[in-house]
């Protein structure tokens, strides 16, 4: 059918034509923001899930909702190597500046600008472009050089400014698993302070499933500070809706048995739904997408995934790491016990520690609640087995 009208959106963070099955999570976020704006205690959220389930899309959507409610919104993606301080600085500055445009918050914001300069100096942040001439620096604010003091200081000023302005602030952070323990601790301490002082600041993070554990290890009270909604594969009804509705909105149709096939082989994983929906649309002569069309589109869907979604991740592994994940895949679908992997590789378990740690830090595998290992990319084991033949 007409590729120009293809409604599907396979791609990292691409907004799907139908954001199916996520109303409960969006509602949680809406309530948190609404409560913060009303001066009520608001829970922060940490969206946890595998790659390609739609975490980034949800963060963007939550940002939109928060803006509509009148909150200030900052959005960051934790990089693998960069520091939180560097990443956060320009966002904090932007928020302080917009607060300084509101009369009721002007004084607080100008104190905040001073604090921010202290912070930039302490953490040696590139300050090109910071305007000079802010009347007074702010001695004693955000200048300890200890992130766990200074980040809470800065957030407090923003929270007070937002409160004075009758606004709130939402901080969205993607790929939280890449934050160092110090950085994560500082954020948690800061959010703890926000909660204690009743300041209208909400954090919504997103990351791989191990983030709950990382946060708990960084600060034991993190568990009570955040809600951890799981973002997973879509259930059958939502998954089918995610494919059928966009097709129908383009004035076309898709058969039920075609939807059955898509659901059963994608297991409802959003990224795969978009990819297969898209190729099916393209190969179908129309006007109805049939089971035969969907089957015909399958090899193309797979090679699209193999060349894109899977390969970009595979390519980041070293040779030794590849042997490790290949051994996992050879054992079938996860989760996997370390002892089993070692046995499969004919190696000593302890000698595999570094490879294991590296693959985890690359965000490719994670340790499950029960101490097993599993892939953070859905259907990755199948992909590795395909490669291996
Ligand atoms: N609820 C949903 N329904 C249908 N498709 C979705 C949904 N959420 C995400 N997608 C699609 O899934 C893909 C991956 O989304 P993304 O937010 O990048 O995932 P993640 O950040 O978890 O890796 C995108 O193509 C997006 O359009
Ligand atoms: Mg993402």
């Amino acid at each position: 059918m007409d590729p120009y009208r293809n409604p599907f959106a396979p791609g990292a963070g691409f907004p799907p034509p139908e954001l199916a099955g996520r109303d409960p999570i969006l509602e949680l976020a809406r309530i948190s923001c609404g409560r913060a704006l009303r001066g009520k205690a608001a829970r922060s959220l940490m969206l946890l899930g595998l790659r390609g389930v739609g975490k980034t899309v949800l963060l963007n959507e939550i940002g939109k909702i928060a803006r509509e409610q009148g909150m200030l919104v900052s959005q960051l993606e934790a990089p693998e190597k960069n520091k939180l301080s560097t990443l956060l600085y320009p966002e904090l500055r932007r928020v302080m500046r917009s607060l300084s445009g509101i009369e009721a918050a002007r004084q607080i914001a100008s104190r905040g600008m001073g604090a921010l300069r202290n912070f930039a100096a302490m953490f040696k942040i590139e300050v090109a472009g910071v305007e000079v001439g802010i009347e007074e620096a702010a001695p004693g604010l955000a200048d300890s050089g200890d992130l766990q003091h200074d980040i809470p200081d800065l957030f407090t000023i923003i929270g007070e400014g937002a409160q004075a302005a009758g606004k709130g602030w939402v901080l969205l952070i993607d790929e939280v698993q890449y934050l160092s323990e110090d950085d994560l601790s500082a954020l948690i301490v800061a959010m703890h302070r926000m909660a204690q002082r009743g300041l209208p600041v909400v954090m919504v993070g997103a990351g791989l499933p191990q983030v709950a554990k990382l946060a708990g290890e960084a600060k034991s009270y993190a568990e009570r500070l955040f809600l951890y909604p799981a973002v997973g594969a879509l259930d059958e009804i939502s998954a089918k809706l995610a494919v059928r509705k966009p097709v129908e909105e383009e004035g076309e149709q898709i058969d039920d048995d075609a939807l059955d096939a898509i659901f059963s082989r994608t297991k409802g994983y959003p990224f795969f739904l978009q990819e297969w929906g898209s190729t099916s649309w393209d190969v179908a002569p129309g006007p109805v997408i049939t089971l035969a069309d969907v089957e015909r589109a399958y090899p193309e869907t797979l090679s699209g995934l193999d060349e894109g979604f899977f390969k970009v991740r595979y390519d980041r592994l070293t040779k030794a790491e590849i042997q490790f994940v290949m051994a996992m895949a050879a054992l079938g679908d996860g989760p996997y016990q370390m002892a089993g992997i070692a046995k499969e590789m004919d190696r000593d378990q302890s000698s595999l520690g570094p490879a294991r740690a590296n693959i985890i830090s690359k965000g490719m595998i994670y340790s499950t609640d029960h101490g097993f290992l599993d892939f953070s990319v859905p259907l990755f084991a199948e992909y590795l087995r395909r490669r291996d033949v």
Side-chain angles (χ1 to χ4, degrees):
M1 302 193 292
D2 182 2
Y4 289 94
R5 287 195 299 119
N6 187 331
F8 294 99
F14 288 13
E18 170 68 16
L19 184 58
R22 302 304 190 207
D23 288 348
I25 295 178
L26 294 174
E27 190 58 18
L28 279 181
R30 193 174 286 119
I31 291 172
S32 273
C33 293
R35 287 182 59 90
L37 281 169
R38 286 169 182 73
K40 299 249 192 283
R43 285 293 270 279
S44 284
L45 307 177
M46 203 66 96
L47 314 177
L48 303 184
L50 303 180
R51 303 248 175 232
V53 292
K55 300 180 298 300
T56 301
V57 158
L58 277 171
L59 278 187
N60 291 333
E61 191 61 29
I62 290 169
K64 221 187 289 169
I65 290 171
R67 259 179 228 109
E68 280 164 13
Q69 293 191 345
M71 296 190 79
L72 300 164
V73 178
S74 296
Q75 190 159 3
L76 332 163
E77 181 181 323
E80 257 173 285
K81 299 264 141 58
N82 219 335
K83 290 206 201 75
L84 178 70
S85 51
T86 312
L87 203 65
L88 207 47
Y89 174 79
E91 277 304 320
L92 296 179
R93 191 161 164 263
R94 209 175 47 77
V95 174
M96 304 251 189
R97 288 185 74 159
S98 48
L99 285 173
S100 70
I102 301 169
E103 183 56 41
R106 184 159 299 150
Q107 237 180 345
I108 297 174
S110 115
R111 205 156 52 88
M113 282 298 203
L116 206 50
R117 285 208 296 183
N118 296 343
F119 180 74
M122 274 325 286
F123 289 92
K124 304 200 167 44
I125 293 165
E126 191 47 54
V127 286
V130 172
E131 66 275 37
V132 280
I134 293 170
E135 317 73 67
E136 49 172 0
L141 272 179
D143 62 358
S144 76
D146 176 352
L147 218 53
Q148 293 196 32
H149 283 108
D150 295 346
I151 298 266
D153 272 359
L154 292 170
F155 280 29
T156 301
I157 299 175
I158 289 187
E160 288 170 354
Q163 196 172 46
K167 292 192 152 277
W169 179 46
V170 182
L171 175 60
L172 307 170
I173 306 188
D174 207 353
E175 307 284 3
V176 170
Q177 73 281 353
Y178 288 144
L179 290 174
S180 69
E181 184 169 352
D182 276 353
D183 285 352
L184 187 57
S185 295
L187 280 174
I188 296 170
V189 173
M191 293 315 301
H192 194 208
R193 168 104 63 97
M194 299 301 98
Q196 285 172 336
R197 305 227 173 148
L199 293 173
V201 176
V202 173
M203 179 182 147
V204 183
L208 296 178
Q210 71 261 34
V211 164
K213 199 154 134 245
L214 294 176
E217 281 163 8
K219 292 284 164 203
S220 56
Y221 55 77
E223 200 182 313
R224 280 156 286 145
L225 204 53
F226 293 96
L227 295 173
Y228 294 94
V231 189
L234 299 178
D235 63 23
E236 184 164 354
I237 291 173
S238 302
K240 289 181 172 176
L241 185 73
V243 179
R244 193 187 339 106
K245 199 164 163 200
V247 171
E248 288 178 353
E249 278 174 355
E250 281 297 332
E252 312 292 352
Q253 282 182 328
I254 179 162
D255 282 337
D256 284 343
D257 51 3
L259 287 172
D260 285 337
I262 291 181
F263 175 69
S264 76
R265 247 175 287 170
T266 57
K267 304 201 165 82
Y269 279 104
F271 193 94
F272 306 145
L273 292 172
Q274 295 301 324
E275 188 82 40
W276 203 355
S278 176
T279 50
S280 299
W281 174 286
D282 284 346
V283 308
V288 178
I289 301 176
T290 64
L291 177 61
D293 296 330
V294 164
E295 296 288 1
R296 215 148 32 87
Y298 189 61
E300 194 185 323
T301 306
L302 266 193
S303 64
L305 290 169
D306 286 2
E307 290 308 309
F309 188 71
F310 291 125
K311 187 165 185 294
V312 293
R313 307 208 145 85
Y314 180 90
D315 285 348
R316 302 187 48 229
L317 299 173
T318 66
K319 251 195 180 144
E321 292 161 7
I322 287 171
Q323 284 169 357
F324 191 103
V325 295
M326 281 297 185
M328 289 170 68
L331 292 167
D333 292 332
Y336 311 90
Q337 268 180 314
M338 199 50 208
I341 300 168
K343 185 155 172 254
E344 175 71 25
M345 294 176 78
D346 209 7
R347 292 267 301 269
D348 194 43
Q349 235 190 94
S350 57
S351 74
L352 292 172
R356 175 183 183 277
N358 286 336
I359 311 171
I360 289 179
S361 84
K362 287 180 181 175
M364 215 81 66
I365 60 173
Y366 71 103
S367 160
T368 68
D369 293 342
H370 306 288
F372 287 46
L373 287 180
D374 209 347
F375 289 109
S376 61
V377 184
L379 310 186
F380 202 63
E382 272 177 41
Y383 161 73
L384 292 174
R385 290 192 290 267
R386 272 201 296 284
R387 276 193 76 108
D388 208 26
V389 289

